Amino acid sequence: PPSVHSASYDGSLRALHASRSEWSLLYSSSDMEISAMALGPTGSVWLASNDGSAITFDERAGKVVQSPVALHSRKVNTLSVCCGRGHLLASAGSDNLVRVWDLRQLGAKAKGVAVHELPHSKSTQAAEWSPDGSSSLLTTCYDDRLRIFDGIHSAAPTERHAIKHCCQTGRWVVPFRATWSPAGDGVVVGGLRRTAELYAAAGGGRLGALSSELMTAIPSRNTCHPSGRAVACATNSGRIHVYR
């Protein structure tokens, strides 16, 4: 089965077949600029666009099975499906909102009513569920705060704390998107001093930073190996640096 999926502003969704070392085109649209993607349960792929709408593509059926639904009034920056509760979808938008959706209800009949709406003071660049299954949500905002919300699956989600971190990447640097450590006990995010900053999820304190004389550009995108033994940092110069 495909091991890597990729979506693009050109309206295409592709899958990498690792065993054959080749890409296959799953979906293409001349009308949709895909700005965010999330893999859902049972072969479903959620695709969102610059106009704030989203569709569902069924990889098994090879077709779109969900008509466009409005998630935000402006560009959708990220989508994330909860690993602990697979029916929950989080979306972050340029309209200063993070919204949580119930995939079992999201559709034409439900008219796109969010389960929760988390207002932010500026554009939200990311919302990612914790990998430990706790349904905590990590958000990245241009107001220089990384926020962790708990109780998203309940009727009254609460903000655990806000981590102060400069997110003013400007026009020429890709916006930061904070991500979790594999155990959900830490946060990794790019730093303007060409570092990957590490914060504690429990108290929000800074734990340290990853840097190297070889990493000469800002690592706006970072991810951790599931084992927790490596961190990959993708920079704006088009290189990936691996720390172990």
Side-chain angles (χ1 to χ4, degrees):
S3 58
V4 175
H5 289 72
S6 174
S8 171
Y9 279 139
D10 66 5
S12 66
L13 170 66
R14 301 176 187 272
L16 171 64
H17 300 268
S19 61
R20 303 198 303 268
S21 299
E22 65 181 32
W23 290 88
S24 63
L25 179 64
L26 302 179
Y27 171 77
S28 180
S29 171
S30 59
D31 301 323
M32 184 180 187
E33 291 185 336
I34 302 174
S35 60
M37 176 191 71
L39 301 181
T42 62
S44 61
V45 184
W46 278 87
L47 303 171
S49 71
N50 277 342
D51 65 7
S53 64
I55 61 173
T56 309
F57 179 83
D58 190 321
E59 194 169 353
R60 299 167 302 173
K63 64 180 181 180
V64 174
V65 294
Q66 170 69 60
S67 301
V69 176
L71 301 184
H72 293 268
S73 61
R74 297 178 63 188
K75 175 184 176 182
V76 180
N77 292 311
T78 63
L79 296 173
S80 179
V81 175
C82 181
C83 63
R85 295 171 173 80
H87 61 280
L88 294 179
L89 173 75
S91 61
S94 293
D95 56 0
N96 302 2
L97 292 173
V98 168
R99 286 178 168 144
V100 177
W101 312 86
D102 189 331
L103 295 179
R104 301 169 299 184
Q105 302 175 0
L106 187 59
K109 293 183 179 179
K111 297 182 181 180
V113 178
V115 176
H116 294 300
E117 188 171 275
L118 307 174
H120 290 61
S121 60
K122 292 187 178 181
S123 174
T124 55
Q125 289 300 309
E128 183 177 313
W129 296 102
S130 175
D132 63 2
S134 64
S135 299
S136 295
L137 195 63
L138 170 66
T139 69
T140 307
C141 182
Y142 264 133
D143 65 359
D144 296 339
R145 295 293 186 276
L146 314 176
R147 293 176 173 84
I148 297 178
F149 294 88
D150 295 322
I152 300 296
H153 59 282
S154 67
T158 59
E159 181 179 317
R160 185 192 306 177
H161 50 245
I163 301 171
K164 187 175 181 180
H165 179 80
C166 183
C167 296
Q168 304 307 309
T169 51
R171 181 178 180 182
W172 307 110
V173 177
V174 177
F176 292 154
R177 291 178 180 173
T179 188
W180 295 91
S181 64
D185 56 356
V187 174
V188 183
V189 64
L192 292 177
R193 296 184 178 181
R194 300 189 296 277
T195 60
E197 299 293 318
L198 310 176
Y199 295 97
R206 184 177 182 272
L207 299 176
L210 300 175
S211 63
S212 167
E213 61 181 12
L214 300 176
M215 193 164 69
T216 59
I218 296 172
S220 291
R221 298 286 189 267
N222 305 277
T223 188
C224 300
H225 190 277
S227 68
R229 297 179 179 178
V231 179
C233 305
T235 70
N236 287 269
S237 64
R239 296 178 178 177
I240 297 177
H241 300 261
V242 179
Y243 294 86
R244 293 186 294 177

